[in-house]
C-alpha cells in the first residue's frame, strides 16, 4: 500500500538558515478577512463536552485545552449547546445554587450552558466576504463573546464549522475592543482602535 507514494526530494542545509515565525498578531486589522480570526473546526478539533458532566470538570477541561468555550454534545454527536468560562466563573452558578439549594460540585454543564434553541450562528457564506470589523460589530450588537459559524451546504445536516471568540479577536488585533455601549458603528470602533 505504501508503494504508491513517491518519497519527496530533500536537500542538505548550508549557510545561514532561519526559522519561520507566525505573522505578528498586529497584522490583523478590522479590514482583514473575517476568516483570519475564525477558529476553523474543519481544520482543528473542537473542544467538546457532554451535558451531564459536572461544571468543575468542564472548567478544568477548558483550562487544560486553553479555551474559553466548549461545545456541548449529545451522545448522537448533535449539538446541545455551548458553555463558556463566563457561564462557569460568573454569577450564574451562584444564582443556580441559591435557586436549587444544591452544592457547587453538583452543578452540571447542562445547568449552565446556553441551549441550542438560544444559539445564533453566522452562515459560512456570509463569513466568506465579511471583514473582522463585521464580526466585532455582530458580537457587540448581540452582546456576546462568541459566535458560531454554520455551514448549511454540507451533505446531510447543517454543521458548525467555526467559532469567533472576542478574546481571540482582541489577541489577534493586539488591542482591547471597547465595551458595547462605547461605540456602535464600524467607523466608531475603528476610530477607537486607531486612537489606542
Amino acid at each position: 500500500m505504501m508503494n504508491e507514494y513517491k518519497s519527496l526530494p530533500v536537500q542538505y542545509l548550508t549557510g545561514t538558515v532561519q526559522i519561520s515565525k507566525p505573522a505578528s498578531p498586529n497584522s490583523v486589522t478590522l479590514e482583514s478577512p473575517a476568516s483570519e480570526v475564525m477558529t476553523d473546526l474543519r481544520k482543528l478539533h473542537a473542544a467538546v463536552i457532554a451535558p451531564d458532566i459536572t461544571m468543575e470538570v468542564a472548567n478544568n477541561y477548558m483550562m487544560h485545552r486553553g479555551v474559553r468555550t466548549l461545545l456541548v454534545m449529545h451522545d448522537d454527536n448533535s449539538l446541545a449547546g455551548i458553555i463558556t468560562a463566563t457561564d462557569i466563573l460568573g454569577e450564574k452558578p451562584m444564582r443556580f445554587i441559591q435557586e436549587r439549594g444544591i452544592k457547587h460540585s453538583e452543578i452540571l454543564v447542562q445547568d449552565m450552558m446556553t441551549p441550542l434553541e438560544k444559539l445564533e450562528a453566522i452562515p459560512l457564506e456570509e463569513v466568506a466576504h465579511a471583514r473582522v470589523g463585521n464580526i466585532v460589530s455582530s458580537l457587540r450588537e448581540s452582546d456576546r463573546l462568541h459566535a458560531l459559524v454554520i455551514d448549511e451546504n454540507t451533505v446531510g445536516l447543517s454543521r458548525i464549522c467555526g467559532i469567533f471568540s472576542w478574546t481571540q479577536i482582541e489577541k489577534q488585533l493586539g488591542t482591547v475592543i471597547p465595551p458595547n455601549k462605547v461605540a456602535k458603528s464600524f467607523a466608531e470602533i475603528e476610530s477607537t482602535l486607531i486612537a489606542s
Side-chain angles (χ1 to χ4, degrees):
M1 177 141 138
M2 289 304 291
N3 294 343
E4 62 193 72
Y5 294 100
K6 186 176 118 190
S7 64
L8 300 175
V10 296
Q11 65 186 52
Y12 287 99
L13 301 178
T14 60
T16 304
V17 177
Q18 296 184 337
I19 304 290
S20 293
K21 294 179 184 158
S24 90
N26 295 339
S27 64
V28 172
T29 69
L30 291 173
E31 276 300 310
S32 298
S35 59
E36 289 189 21
V37 295
M38 180 178 89
T39 300
D40 192 335
L41 300 178
R42 296 167 301 177
K43 297 175 182 172
L44 299 168
H45 287 286
V48 300
I49 198 156
D52 57 354
I53 301 294
T54 66
M55 189 181 69
E56 289 176 352
V57 169
N59 187 41
N60 288 336
Y61 182 52
M62 274 186 201
M63 289 189 297
H64 176 74
R65 283 283 305 256
V67 297
R68 297 183 53 80
T69 303
L70 297 174
L71 298 176
V72 184
M73 306 299 286
H74 291 297
D75 289 341
D76 66 358
N77 281 331
S78 64
L79 185 65
I82 66 169
I83 188 163
T84 68
T86 306
D87 294 330
I88 293 173
L89 303 172
E91 59 190 50
K92 204 171 173 182
M94 289 305 144
R95 283 198 314 263
F96 190 79
I97 288 168
Q98 289 169 347
E99 289 169 12
R100 302 283 172 97
I102 63 171
K103 295 180 190 150
H104 193 271
S105 61
E106 296 173 330
I107 301 174
L108 301 178
V109 166
Q110 63 197 7
D111 300 326
M112 294 296 110
M113 72 180 189
T114 302
L116 180 71
E117 313 76 64
K118 292 188 177 178
L119 292 176
E120 301 163 346
I122 301 168
L124 182 60
E125 55 267 19
E126 292 295 325
V127 172
H129 58 265
R131 301 280 167 216
V132 172
N134 300 120
I135 303 304
V136 171
S137 292
S138 297
L139 288 170
R140 294 173 92 248
E141 192 174 301
S142 67
D143 206 22
R144 294 190 191 275
L145 297 175
H146 299 87
L148 299 174
V149 180
I150 191 161
D151 184 357
E152 296 180 303
N153 295 324
T154 52
V155 178
L157 303 169
S158 300
R159 296 186 192 282
I160 298 300
C161 63
I163 301 174
F164 289 108
S165 159
W166 186 276
T167 52
Q168 181 65 32
I169 293 170
E170 284 184 329
K171 197 182 295 177
Q172 287 187 250
L173 286 171
T175 188
V176 174
I177 302 168
N180 195 17
K181 305 303 177 215
V182 173
K184 276 288 182 197
S185 74
F186 178 68
E188 288 174 294
I189 295 167
E190 185 149 46
S191 66
T192 309
L193 287 172
I194 291 167
S196 57

